[in-house]
């Protein structure tokens, strides 16, 4: 079982705003990082740290964190945003182990 | 721009040892955690482990008894070995560059560069 918990599936109407959440004790010490994965492709980092986007990631992607919950928000979702999204952090053991959430399948209607 | 190129055997028999290598092109090898992640068919991502440039490793406890990650800094390469494979080890295996730094309030940990993935199938 994952130490980071995500909803398995979320849907959003085209152009609307959607929030994908990730919960876990380790998020009180670590910012979550977020990855987008489309079928047959490697994951792509979309958000890291407090709210940082790698070069090339649209500014409709943003991140936030509060307590044990991290959120990825897509403001004005586009059809090309339909994908699986994974959060990632160190685990809560203090042993510097990596852990992923179970993933959220985002459907853009 | 940093790129990761990975390779290794794609078809194994049960009990054999999985062996994959990832080469780092276009960037520094030091200061990062060089990581392996896998994804079974239709399932989520699983963190396998990581190594830094000095050879310090961290492994997923569920795989620790079978996993060895090593580094060859002279070639800017790192490798994964997973022994005694079974069908449950069938997955796409990714290498990635990780970074863990202390922020002003929380720590940052993320993997910003990924290899394209290698499909490994374990079948008799």
């Amino acid at each position: 079982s994952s130490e980071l918990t995500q909803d398995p599936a979320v849907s959003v109407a085209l152009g609307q705003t959607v929030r994908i959440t990730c919960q876990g004790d380790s998020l009180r010490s670590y910012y979550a990082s977020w990855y987008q994965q489309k079928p047959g492709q490697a994951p792509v980092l979309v958000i890291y740290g407090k709210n940082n986007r790698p070069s090339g990631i649209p500014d409709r992607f943003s991140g936030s964190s509060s307590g044990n919950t991290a959120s990825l928000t897509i403001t004005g979702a586009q059809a090309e945003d339909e994908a699986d999204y994974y959060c990632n952090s160190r685990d809560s053991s203090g042993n510097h182990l990596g852990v992923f959430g179970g993933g959220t399948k985002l459907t853009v209607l | 721009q940093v790129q990761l190129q990975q390779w290794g055997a794609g078809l194994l028999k049960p009990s054999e040892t999985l062996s994959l290598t990832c080469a780092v092109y276009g960037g520094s090898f030091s200061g990062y955690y060089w990581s392996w992640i896998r994804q079974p068919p239709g399932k989520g991502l699983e963190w396998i482990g990581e190594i830094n440039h000095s050879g310090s490793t961290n492994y997923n406890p569920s795989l620790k008894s079978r996993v060895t990650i090593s580094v060859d800094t002279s070639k800017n390469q790192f490798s994964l070995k997973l022994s005694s494979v079974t069908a449950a080890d069938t997955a796409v295996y990714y290498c990635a560059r990780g970074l863990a730094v202390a922020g002003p309030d929380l720590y940052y940990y993320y993997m910003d560069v990924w290899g394209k993935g290698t499909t490994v199938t374990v079948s008799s």
Side-chain angles (χ1 to χ4, degrees):
Chain A
S1 64
S2 175
E3 290 193 27
L4 297 177
T5 301
Q6 298 182 240
D7 291 328
V10 171
S11 62
V12 61
L14 184 67
Q16 295 303 301
T17 297
V18 63
R19 177 174 292 180
I20 298 170
T21 61
C22 174
Q23 289 189 304
D25 287 341
S26 64
L27 300 181
R28 299 184 186 278
S29 302
Y30 283 92
Y31 287 112
S33 53
W34 291 93
Y35 305 84
Q36 177 192 71
Q37 187 181 35
K38 297 181 179 179
Q41 298 182 19
V44 173
L45 178 68
V46 294
I47 290 289
Y48 67 97
K50 191 168 188 177
N51 182 19
N52 302 101
R53 284 177 289 106
S55 174
I57 301 301
D59 62 4
R60 63 179 178 272
F61 290 88
S62 63
S64 61
S65 180
S66 178
N68 72 337
T69 301
S71 300
L72 172 70
T73 300
I74 307 174
T75 303
Q78 302 300 301
E80 60 264 33
D81 300 333
E82 184 163 295
D84 294 325
Y85 290 85
Y86 294 90
C87 60
N88 164 246
S89 172
R90 291 296 200 192
D91 77 340
S92 56
S93 71
N95 293 324
H96 306 290
L97 306 178
V99 63
F100 285 94
T104 298
K105 169 64 178 176
L106 175 67
T107 300
V108 180
L109 303 173
Chain B
Q1 184 173 353
V2 177
Q3 294 185 2
L4 303 183
Q5 183 176 345
Q6 56 181 105
W7 65 89
L11 181 60
L12 297 171
K13 290 181 168 39
S15 81
E16 291 184 336
T17 295
L18 179 157
S19 182
L20 299 175
T21 298
C22 185
V24 181
Y25 297 103
S28 171
F29 206 69
S30 63
Y32 297 96
Y33 289 95
W34 301 99
S35 310
W36 290 97
I37 301 97
R38 71 180 183 178
Q39 185 171 37
K43 296 188 178 181
L45 301 171
E46 179 181 28
W47 184 84
I48 297 172
E50 65 188 14
I51 191 167
N52 65 11
H53 71 282
S54 62
S56 178
T57 55
N58 295 307
Y59 296 136
N60 186 323
S62 69
L63 299 170
K64 188 173 184 176
S65 63
R66 299 193 291 129
V67 170
T68 301
I69 298 176
S70 58
V71 65
D72 185 340
T73 54
S74 68
K75 296 181 179 179
N76 274 17
Q77 295 177 0
F78 61 107
S79 298
L80 168 70
K81 291 190 185 300
L82 180 67
S83 64
S84 304
V85 298
T86 70
D89 297 309
T90 293
V92 177
Y93 287 74
Y94 297 100
C95 59
R97 185 179 79 168
L99 188 64
V101 295
D105 39 13
L106 303 182
Y107 287 94
Y108 288 46
Y109 171 68
Y110 58 95
M111 288 171 273
D112 62 342
V113 183
W114 292 64
K116 294 186 185 300
T118 300
T119 299
V120 176
T121 302
V122 181
S123 175
S124 55

